[in-house]
Amino acid sequence: MARVREFDTEAALEAAMSAFRRKGYEGTSVQDLVDATGIGRGSLYAAFGSKEGLYLAVMDRYREQYAVPLIELLDSGAPARELIRSVLLGVVDEIVRDGTRQSCLIVSATTERLPHDPEVAGRVRATTSSLENALTEVIAKGRASGRLTSTRAPGDLARFLLTTIHGLRVMGAINTDRGTLTNIAEVALGCLD
Amino acid sequence: MARVREFDTEAALEAAMSAFRRKGYEGTSVQDLVDATGIGRGSLYAAFGSKEGLYLAVMDRYREQYAVPLIELLDSGAPARELIRSVLLGVVDEIVRDGTRQSCLIVSATTERLPHDPEVAGRVRATTSSLENALTEVIAKGRASGRLTSTRAPGDLARFLLTTIHGLRVMGAINTDRGTLTNIAEVALGCLD
DNA sequence: GGCTATCTGGAACGTACGGTCAAGTTTTCG
DNA sequence: CGAAAACTTGACCGTACGTTCCAGATAGCC
């Protein structure tokens, strides 16, 4: 039929994600994206339509790559406290690994783009609410089995944990000391009973 | 000696802050700032030097206007738990009042500008650490008086609360329901003992 | 081996950006 | 009242932006 695509879409999205996480949406120029992905402008536009389209594709990848595995972990049936601890410490790990240079895509999408782009808003809401639901279920099970003793509604606790995760990512942009972030996570864990 | 300045610097900074909070740093053009403040480009540049200079002046005003009163409240000597509750509920109030349209200047400065602008980084660190110190002191006093029973280090609890505040501002950009946010704040308050 | 369809790279387009500047205005002081 | 100093306005500057387009390359199909 025709010439076959030369570049790897997943690798391109990964590179674009890294660029967006480093400089934000408005701060990343199309030239930055061309440089980061190694793909010509023409191909980039043929594949993704626009800068916004590429950003949305990056958000979709973020969800598949980071949120979905997290949710699968939460659905694994392991004890609630251990699950939640490993989620929070996993976030701390990511922050320490990324350093100050790369901020969380969801947080920056939320503050920078959500109010102005309904497509972004939809993706942020979908990703956060699926995580919220998974957390709620884990907490409800943990309480049913007597492992978690907090009397607060599981949904409130889940949204509190989500808040902590977002807060950690902001804190991680200011200070990436693992011990500090770990202690914060431990305090939050203490709220579950 | 010379012609007197016509515009009110504080009012201009307030208008510029509103613009930056609505659209972020990169998303706000100088023309947006001219429109928001009602001041000509020349006057704006004579007064603040550059777009970045205006942004830094806005950050300084943010600190004086929002962080300093909060710290003074914390230093007022009232009982620890009531103080911290009123700080958290005050944040919720602000979020509900601002709605989805205006996000927190500190959070957006942190994610968008902190890695690329040392001046921004310095101001973010100064503001957050003075708030952290005030919280730490309140918690230490509360524990000394037996009102707070948590065994965790006051500094860790303070940084946890700071994390909660940042997290709330992110959550507030996604969902501005007062009840939801208030419940999150109440869960966090429960971590203090 | 053409034919067609798709992809590639980069030149080119119009626009909007941050920043500058000069001409005019308002003030104070001698 | 005139001179000097500071402020205001908006036209203007060079540049960088997001997007489009096209000529050339590469694949499958007859």
Side-chain angles (χ1 to χ4, degrees), chain A residues 77-111:
Chain A
R81 179 178 307 279
E82 282 72 10
L83 275 181
I84 293 170
R85 165 170 279 121
S86 68
V87 165
L88 289 185
L89 295 186
V91 169
V92 170
D93 268 345
E94 250 188 84
I95 292 170
V96 173
R97 188 171 346 109
D98 293 341
T100 307
R101 314 273 288 276
Q102 294 213 79
S103 65
C104 173
L105 189 74
I106 292 291
V107 170
S108 80
T110 300
T111 58

Side-chain angles (χ1 to χ4, degrees), chain B residues 157-170:
Chain B
L157 292 172
R159 284 183 286 275
F160 161 77
L161 289 173
L162 214 48
T163 304
T164 301
I165 291 172
H166 290 147
L168 278 172
R169 309 222 76 138
V170 176

Side-chain angles (χ1 to χ4, degrees), chain A residues 22 26 110 114 116 125 152 156 159-160 163 166-168 170-171 173-174 180 183-184 186-187 191, chain B residues 22 26 110 114 116 125 152 156-157 159-160 163 166-168 170-171 173-174 180 183-184 186-187 191:
Chain A
R22 257 179 286 123
E26 299 281 1
T110 300
L114 184 143
H116 311 290
R125 293 212 166 85
R152 306 207 71 97
D156 287 338
R159 284 183 286 275
F160 162 76
T163 304
H166 290 147
L168 278 171
V170 176
M171 291 292 275
I174 303 176
T180 303
N183 283 338
I184 292 169
E186 292 291 347
V187 174
C191 291
Chain B
R22 256 179 287 122
E26 299 280 2
T110 300
L114 183 142
H116 312 290
R125 293 212 167 85
R152 306 207 70 95
D156 287 339
L157 292 172
R159 284 183 286 275
F160 161 77
T163 304
H166 290 147
L168 278 172
V170 176
M171 291 292 276
I174 304 175
T180 303
N183 283 338
I184 292 169
E186 292 291 349
V187 173
C191 291

